[in-house]
């Protein structure tokens, strides 16, 4: 149930206390209390950006999307790994949306169009993610307990939510194009006040969303082409410098990489193994990212199934900790790369919302289908750009070229969806829920779930929170009557 009595002041005070004690920039914010450099609007913006990015990244590393995306295997046979998820709460996302609503209302009261635009982008990002997870959700009546006393909101259909969010992003782009006031660089922890990059974020996110719903939304490719035809009117990401990513301070658990020692205890790290699906595909391609991402086994002597230096654990098997002769013969994720807190420990670890790498693959897929054109590019060129951008992110592009990575038959562009989506899946390691969302949408990479897995293959969605059937039952029952059974394998609108 979404019943909020949200008071932003305690949240912002805690945020300020933490960040003002951690970085010079945030100390400087309050040097003159009678003439602050940041107003309430900017504080709210920072809160929305940080909470959204950090929570989204945490989901990507250690929550259900990481298991459903088949990047990791837990050798404890938890519900996450067995896909016995049951109802999943959504209050955290609605809480972020509540803060964003306050942010937008504050900006509107001050006629701060640049912040209204940013609020629209973050609204679209968070509501789209929520709908991607569940399908139909409370949207129109959500977050109206204060002004309209709507405590038990009705659900909206996904096919109505998505077009409205696309409209929000288009409006954000226009507002920023015509904005005359600056974005406070210190409050903007994502783009440091650069309006053009915010516009690129909005339009690149539109392209992600349009491709996602293209099977069910007839104008999808037309709208994608309209964006791509007008570079000045609808700028999109052009390089990794445009990535929507926020760095970690790496000094406290809440502001550190989710897989680092501050945020994840040693026991959980050691029980989180690289999946067989991931390791085997990296080995098959002689992929130089393997050595960056994956830790070699402690010993190959005594391995009972797989004698490779890198060994992934299959999904949902009996006694997974005993696989291949025990955990000494199984690979975890790289201690030298992923077992860091971010910040100075590994600046490459960031909370990522969407990247240029992803955009390359989005365009490659749409071009491969013959649905869009990009001047001077082809499906093949965008496919290679996507791979090279990913390689560059991890510092192994020169090695990939030197070792003939792109000359291998398994890597050479062949025009198949399987090949393209497998490469995108590799590049999307720990990038939101994109690996899972793409796999359920396209069927690639083709995964076979383990013998102990619940249900029928990879889950397609989250089950609504149990508080909904308990306290918002009238609207819940109406929603299920339209949507279908509230189960993990019921297809949402754009997957049908």
């Amino acid at each position: 149930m979404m019943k909020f009595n949200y008071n932003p002041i305690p949240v912002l005070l805690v945020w300020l206390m933490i960040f003002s004690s951690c970085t010079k920039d945030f100390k400087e914010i309050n040097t003159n209390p009678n003439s602050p450099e940041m107003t309430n609007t900017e504080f709210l913006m920072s809160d929305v950006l940080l909470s959204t990015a950090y929570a989204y990244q945490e989901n990507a590393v250690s929550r259900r999307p990481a298991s459903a995306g088949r990047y990791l295997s837990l050798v404890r046979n938890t519900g996450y790994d067995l896909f016995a998820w049951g109802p999943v709460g959504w209050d955290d996302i609605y809480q972020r949306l509540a803060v964003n609503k306050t942010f937008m209302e504050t900006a509107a009261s001050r006629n701060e169009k640049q912040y209204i635009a940013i609020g629209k982008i973050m609204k679209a990002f968070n509501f789209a993610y929520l709908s991607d997870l569940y399908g139909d959700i409370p949207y129109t009546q959500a977050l109206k307990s204060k002004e309209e006393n709507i405590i038990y909101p009705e659900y909206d259909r996904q096919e109505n939510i998505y077009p409205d969010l696309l409209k929000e992003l288009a409006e954000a782009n226009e507002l920023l194009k015509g904005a005359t006031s600056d974005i406070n660089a210190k409050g903007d922890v994502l783009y440091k006040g650069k309006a053009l990059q915010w516009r690129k974020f909005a339009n690149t996110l539109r392209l992600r969303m349009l491709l996602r719903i293209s099977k069910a939304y007839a104008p999808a490719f037309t709208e994608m082409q309209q964006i791509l035809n007008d570079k000045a009117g609808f700028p999109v990401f052009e390089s990794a410098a445009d990535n929507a990513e926020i760095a970690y301070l790496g000094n406290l658990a809440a502001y550190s990489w989710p897989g680092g020692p501050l945020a994840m205890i040693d026991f959980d790290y050691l029980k989180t193994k690289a999946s067989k699906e991931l390791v085997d595909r990296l080995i098959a391609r002689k992929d130089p990212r393997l050595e960056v991402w994956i830790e070699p086994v402690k010993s190959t002597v005594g391995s009972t199934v797989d004698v490779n230096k890198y060994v992934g654990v299959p999904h949902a098997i009996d006694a997974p900790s005993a696989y291949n002769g025990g955990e000494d013969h199984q690979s975890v994720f790289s201690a030298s790369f992923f077992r860091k807190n971010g910040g100075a420990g590994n600046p490459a670890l960031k909370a990522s919302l969407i990247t240029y790498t992803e955009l390359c693959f989005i365009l490659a897929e749409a071009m491969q289908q013959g649905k869009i054109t990009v001047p001077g590019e082809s499906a093949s060129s965008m496919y290679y750009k996507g791979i090279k951008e990913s390689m560059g992110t991890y510092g192994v592009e020169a090695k990939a070229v030197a070792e003939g990575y792109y000359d291998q038959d398994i890597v050479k562009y062949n025009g198949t969806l399987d090949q393209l989506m497998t490469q995108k899946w590799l590049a999307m390691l720990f990038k939101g829920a994109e690996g899972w969302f793409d796999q359920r949408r396209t069927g690639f990479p083709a995964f076979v779930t383990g013998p102990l897995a619940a249900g029928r293959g990879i889950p397609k969605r989250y089950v609504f929170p149990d508080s909904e059937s308990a306290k918002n039952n009238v609207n819940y029952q109406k929603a299920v009557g339209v949507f279908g059974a509230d189960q993990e394998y019921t297809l949402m609108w754009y997957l049908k």
Side-chain angles (χ1 to χ4, degrees):
M1 178 188 66
M2 295 173 309
K3 183 176 180 181
F4 299 111
N5 295 306
Y6 175 72
N7 181 356
I9 301 303
V11 175
L12 295 175
L13 286 175
V14 170
W15 182 85
L16 278 174
M17 289 169 63
I18 292 171
F19 276 81
S20 64
S21 65
C22 296
T23 67
K24 180 180 178 182
D25 281 347
F26 287 102
K27 281 182 181 178
E28 291 175 347
I29 289 169
N30 291 321
T31 53
N32 184 355
N34 295 317
S35 181
E37 296 180 48
M38 287 171 57
T39 66
N40 230 12
T41 319
E42 285 90 12
F43 284 131
L44 287 164
M45 173 177 63
S46 297
D47 191 4
V48 171
L49 299 182
L50 287 166
S51 62
T52 297
Y54 286 175
Y56 188 66
Q57 188 61 61
E58 195 264 350
N59 271 219
V61 172
S62 57
R63 298 283 179 171
R64 295 170 188 83
S67 289
R70 295 308 313 130
Y71 292 119
L72 55 82
S73 292
L74 301 174
V75 294
R76 293 178 283 154
N77 274 348
T78 68
Y80 278 12
D81 218 38
L82 300 181
F83 302 149
W85 292 347
V88 182
W90 58 23
D91 283 358
D92 60 329
I93 303 180
Y94 276 110
Q95 188 78 348
R96 293 194 290 277
L97 283 161
V99 180
N100 190 64
K101 184 171 182 283
T102 302
F103 165 51
M104 293 179 69
E105 290 170 347
T106 304
S109 71
R110 302 179 181 197
N111 196 32
E112 296 172 326
K113 293 182 179 180
Q114 72 277 31
Y115 296 131
I116 295 172
I118 290 173
K120 285 176 175 287
I121 295 169
M122 300 314 295
K123 174 185 176 181
F125 184 91
N126 279 290
F127 265 121
Y129 185 48
L130 190 64
S131 184
D132 290 337
L133 293 173
Y134 294 91
D136 296 354
I137 55 170
Y139 175 67
T140 305
Q141 292 187 355
L143 311 175
K144 292 187 176 181
S145 60
K146 183 178 179 181
E147 64 267 35
E148 298 184 31
N149 198 33
I150 299 177
I151 299 174
Y152 304 111
E154 296 179 354
Y155 287 58
D156 292 73
R157 300 180 69 172
Q158 189 180 59
E159 53 261 54
N160 297 324
I161 296 169
Y162 247 83
D164 196 60
L165 296 179
L166 291 168
K167 180 182 175 183
E168 294 278 13
L169 291 171
E171 290 175 355
N173 177 65
E174 289 302 309
L175 283 170
L176 287 169
K177 182 166 63 174
T180 57
S181 299
D182 292 336
I183 300 167
N184 186 288
K186 290 183 178 178
D188 181 4
V189 294
L190 182 58
Y191 284 130
K192 309 303 180 188
K194 298 172 184 175
L196 177 58
Q197 285 187 292
W198 273 106
R199 292 178 63 200
K200 290 181 178 182
F201 178 21
N203 294 313
T204 302
L205 182 58
R206 281 180 69 193
L207 292 173
R208 171 200 275 182
M209 292 169 60
L210 284 165
L211 181 61
R212 182 160 292 157
I213 64 174
S214 59
K215 182 179 177 181
Y217 183 64
F221 292 114
T222 299
E223 292 182 19
M224 290 181 75
Q225 192 65 63
Q226 289 171 347
I227 293 170
L228 297 168
N229 284 348
D230 187 355
K231 184 176 180 180
F234 303 101
V236 299
F237 288 175
E238 298 176 276
S239 71
D242 296 322
N243 289 350
E245 297 178 315
I246 296 178
Y248 289 98
L249 293 178
N251 60 337
L252 297 169
Y255 303 103
S256 299
W257 174 256
L262 284 175
M264 180 183 286
I265 62 174
D266 288 343
F267 177 83
D268 287 344
Y269 164 68
L270 294 172
K271 295 295 181 182
T272 303
K273 310 297 184 182
S275 72
K276 181 174 176 59
E277 295 94 326
L278 176 62
V279 174
D280 285 3
R281 283 169 173 79
L282 291 169
I283 290 174
R285 290 161 178 77
K286 299 180 178 62
D287 198 306
R289 290 171 292 189
L290 174 68
E291 295 180 3
V292 179
W293 291 348
I294 311 298
E295 197 78 11
V297 298
K298 291 182 179 179
S299 174
T300 58
V301 177
S303 296
T304 59
V305 177
D306 188 337
V307 297
N308 280 304
K309 182 180 178 182
Y310 299 92
V311 177
V313 176
H315 175 249
I317 58 173
D318 187 36
S321 61
Y323 175 75
N324 201 39
E327 293 187 56
D328 283 352
H329 311 290
Q330 304 170 2
S331 289
V332 295
F333 287 94
S334 171
S336 62
F337 190 87
F338 287 121
R339 191 60 175 158
K340 301 294 182 181
N341 294 316
N346 185 354
L349 296 175
K350 298 177 182 179
S352 177
L353 299 177
I354 187 169
T355 65
Y356 177 62
T357 299
E358 182 182 343
L359 176 61
C360 291
F361 284 110
I362 287 170
L363 299 180
E365 181 183 346
M367 294 174 79
Q368 185 170 281
Q369 295 181 46
K371 300 296 186 180
I372 65 166
T373 58
V374 178
E377 301 290 354
S378 64
S380 174
S381 70
M382 295 311 301
Y383 163 82
Y384 285 121
K385 279 188 177 182
I387 301 173
K388 291 176 181 180
E389 282 295 322
S390 178
M391 294 289 185
T393 298
Y394 299 100
V396 294
E397 168 58 8
K399 184 176 181 180
V401 173
E403 295 180 352
Y405 180 81
Y406 302 100
D407 298 326
Q408 301 175 92
D409 288 341
I410 197 172
V411 176
K412 285 182 182 177
Y413 180 72
N414 62 18
T416 65
L417 188 60
D418 185 358
Q419 182 196 53
L420 191 154
M421 298 312 299
T422 297
Q423 282 288 354
K424 184 182 180 185
W425 175 77
L426 290 171
M428 292 298 100
L429 174 68
F430 298 149
K431 302 293 185 184
E434 292 310 301
W436 173 31
F437 290 165
D438 280 334
Q439 199 281 332
R440 71 181 185 182
R441 176 176 64 86
T442 68
F444 297 111
F447 298 136
V448 177
T449 53
L452 299 185
R456 307 181 302 276
I458 306 288
K460 305 301 182 185
R461 61 180 290 269
Y462 285 177
V463 173
F464 294 126
D466 52 13
S467 59
E468 287 295 291
S469 58
K471 299 179 180 180
N472 191 19
N473 190 52
V474 172
N475 290 317
Y476 168 80
Q477 293 297 339
K478 287 181 181 178
V480 172
V482 174
F483 179 77
D486 186 17
Q487 299 172 352
E488 292 166 356
Y489 298 93
T490 299
L491 296 180
M492 59 187 69
W493 163 67
Y494 64 63
L495 294 178
K496 293 179 179 177

